[in-house]
Amino acid sequence: NYAILDELETFRGVDGKLELKLKWPGTELSPQHWKQTSNPYVRRKRGVIGYTPISCPHTSQQWGGVQFDERKCLLSGSINWNWYWYAVGTYKWYENGIPGPNKVVKKVELYVRSQVSAH
C-alpha cells in the first residue's frame, strides 16, 4: 500500500478543487470520479465542501465526496451519516471486508489527478 494523503494540497486544480477517483479492483463496480474543494486529510471533521460529480454512478449510502472519518476508517464517502461506506484506510472490518459503495469489497484505491501542465 502507498499513500500520499499528506500531499493532496499540491494537486489542486486552477479551480481550487481536488479531482479524485475511487476504484474497487476485482469487482464489477464502476469508479467514482468527482471534484471537491475540501481536503479530507486536512479538514479533520466530517462533511465535504464544494462537491462536484464528474461520473458518479453510485449515489446510495449518502454519497457526496470523501470526508475525514477516523471512527472505523481514515476517510469515508457517507457524508454526515453514521456509517462508513466508500471507506478508505479501513481499520475496522465490516462483514469481513471494506464498505464499498453498496456492498463489501476487498480492495479500494483512491486517486488524485495531477494538474501538471505540458511545456
Side-chain angles (χ1 to χ4, degrees):
N1 296 344
Y2 177 73
I4 57 168
L5 293 173
D6 60 327
E7 297 177 25
L8 278 178
E9 285 300 312
T10 65
F11 293 94
R12 285 198 184 272
V14 294
D15 60 359
K17 294 189 174 199
L18 298 166
E19 187 172 339
L20 302 162
K21 185 179 278 189
L22 269 176
K23 291 184 175 184
W24 300 275
T27 73
E28 75 291 348
L29 295 167
S30 297
Q32 293 284 83
H33 185 197
W34 75 99
K35 288 184 176 186
Q36 66 184 61
T37 305
S38 53
N39 178 337
Y41 187 76
V42 172
R43 186 175 193 263
R44 298 289 174 124
K45 57 185 176 180
R46 295 177 63 74
V48 170
I49 298 168
Y51 169 75
T52 305
I54 295 172
S55 176
C56 294
H58 313 287
T59 58
S60 64
Q61 314 300 350
Q62 300 294 108
W63 167 256
V66 289
Q67 65 188 354
F68 180 72
D69 197 302
E70 101 174 316
R71 294 168 305 143
K72 297 176 182 175
C73 60
L74 182 60
L75 310 176
S76 75
S78 293
I79 305 306
N80 294 318
W81 202 36
N82 213 17
W83 291 93
Y84 62 113
W85 294 96
Y86 307 90
V88 176
T90 305
Y91 42 87
K92 173 79 172 159
W93 286 113
Y94 176 77
E95 294 182 2
N96 225 11
I98 302 165
N102 55 14
K103 68 179 190 175
V104 174
V105 298
K106 294 296 182 187
K107 186 175 181 181
V108 61
E109 296 174 349
L110 175 66
Y111 296 89
V112 60
R113 179 181 287 268
S114 175
Q115 303 296 325
V116 176
S117 61
H119 291 94

